[in-house]
Amino acid sequence: MDLAEISFGQAEKTNLSSAVVPVMSDPENRSVTRAFQIVDALSKRDGMGVSELAAAVELPVSTVHDYLQSLRSTGHVVKEGTDYRTSTRFLEIGHRERRRREIHTAAAEELPAAADETGEQATLIVEEGGDGVLLSVAEGEGAVDLPAYPGARVPLYANAGGKAILAHVDPEQREALFDEQAFEPITKRTVTDPDVLRAQLETVRERGYAIDRGERIAGFVCVAVPVLDRGDTVRGAICVCGPESRMGEERREEILSTIRRVANITQVNMDYV
């Protein structure tokens, strides 16, 4: 069995995360992998011609053309002039999946309230496939435009929300998630030593919140708290990020008070509403 490395939804270095997809010898499995390679390549560009796309995925032009016709027939790819791009069908799929997440509905009103109260960007993050996934994003009045949008994937080890989740999973699951992390530096402050991260996570668990100071986005400080259900299983995390210049200790305490309340109401909504 060969391995083909495919990165999904990673147009920005700040949300690097790799998925290694096994390419089976079975032609049908190989076809599925190639189709997703093509979709992934298209998703990173605002339209691509067949030759350009074929070069990007390292497949013959004729093969790529055949795949594109199949993807057009299912509505997942559209053609504009001589260029192809992914369709809004993926938006529909993502929206349906997000609505199925209980935590998304439970935090639907509270996350925007956190953004309004803090004036910064507030996000709801969950773990999926070893990545952190931004399920919801809300912008406060003073929020800086950051590379964050629903569905964006971020490395768990390099942001406050991911650390809040990692600190509250059981040890066996945590080690399994560690095995899936690249531990590559994203900024000069990214923690890339698993042992250092393990020690940080113990502190996070003890104090009940996580913080990162420019570990994923230079110049920004993020604080996050976990969202636990009544069985103390971590379901996600609420995170607020802002420029380092306005995220001093006193300000962080104010934000922590807000997101702790949001996490608590989200938990109550999940468990009892």
Side-chain angles (χ1 to χ4, degrees):
M1 178 173 70
D2 295 326
L3 293 179
E5 186 169 295
I6 306 174
S7 300
F8 296 90
Q10 298 158 12
E12 317 268 343
K13 185 177 179 182
T14 51
N15 53 331
L16 276 174
S17 174
S18 295
V20 178
V21 179
V23 181
M24 308 298 289
S25 58
D26 187 314
E28 290 186 5
N29 288 317
R30 196 161 55 238
S31 294
V32 171
T33 300
R34 286 176 174 174
F36 276 104
Q37 283 180 306
I38 289 168
V39 166
D40 188 49
L42 284 175
S43 72
K44 297 175 182 177
R45 299 286 296 276
D46 187 19
M48 297 177 76
V50 179
S51 297
E52 182 184 10
L53 179 57
V57 297
E58 299 181 349
L59 290 171
V61 172
S62 59
T63 299
V64 171
H65 181 269
D66 290 344
Y67 276 99
L68 287 171
Q69 301 321 301
S70 295
L71 289 165
R72 285 184 69 194
S73 71
T74 61
H76 292 87
V77 165
V78 295
K79 185 178 182 182
E80 296 179 345
T82 59
D83 285 349
Y84 295 83
R85 64 173 177 80
T86 51
S87 77
T88 53
R89 184 73 180 273
F90 290 101
L91 182 62
E92 176 188 358
I93 293 169
H95 183 67
R96 285 202 303 261
E97 173 57 28
R98 187 171 71 157
R99 286 178 64 86
R100 280 195 290 265
R101 298 279 184 140
E102 184 182 23
I103 191 172
H104 170 257
T105 302
E109 294 184 5
E110 294 305 316
L111 194 72
D116 289 343
E117 189 171 323
T118 63
E120 305 291 358
Q121 184 188 84
T123 57
L124 170 63
I125 181 173
V126 297
E127 182 273 323
E128 182 183 74
D131 294 327
V133 179
L134 303 187
L135 207 57
S136 301
V137 180
E139 303 281 352
E141 186 176 356
V144 177
D145 187 19
L146 296 173
Y149 50 89
R153 306 184 84 86
V154 297
L156 291 171
Y157 66 92
N159 70 91
K163 290 182 179 184
I165 292 171
L166 286 171
H168 289 83
V169 297
D170 65 68
E172 185 176 345
Q173 184 182 358
R174 184 182 308 124
E175 289 307 309
L177 288 170
F178 266 47
D179 290 341
E180 298 184 51
Q181 305 306 303
F183 287 110
E184 295 175 348
I186 300 171
T187 73
K188 292 181 180 179
R189 295 183 176 181
T190 306
V191 176
T192 57
D193 185 331
D195 289 333
V196 172
L197 182 59
R198 287 186 182 93
Q200 286 187 353
L201 296 180
E202 286 299 318
T203 301
V204 170
R205 190 174 181 87
E206 289 172 4
R207 68 188 181 189
Y209 71 90
I211 183 169
D212 84 70
R213 297 176 175 85
E215 293 177 38
R216 187 173 76 89
I217 304 175
F220 281 80
V221 172
C222 303
V223 290
V225 297
V227 177
L228 307 175
D229 61 22
R230 56 185 169 186
D232 281 340
T233 298
V234 63
R235 302 288 293 275
I238 305 292
C239 181
V240 167
C241 296
E244 192 169 4
S245 59
R246 62 186 188 218
M247 292 288 279
E249 185 175 354
E250 184 176 346
R251 177 69 173 139
R252 292 199 305 271
E253 287 299 323
E254 293 173 355
I255 290 173
L256 277 169
S257 177
T258 297
I259 60 177
R260 281 172 173 146
R261 185 194 73 237
V262 168
N264 177 249
I265 295 174
T266 300
Q267 175 188 347
V268 170
N269 287 341
M270 285 192 300
D271 291 342
Y272 301 106
V273 176

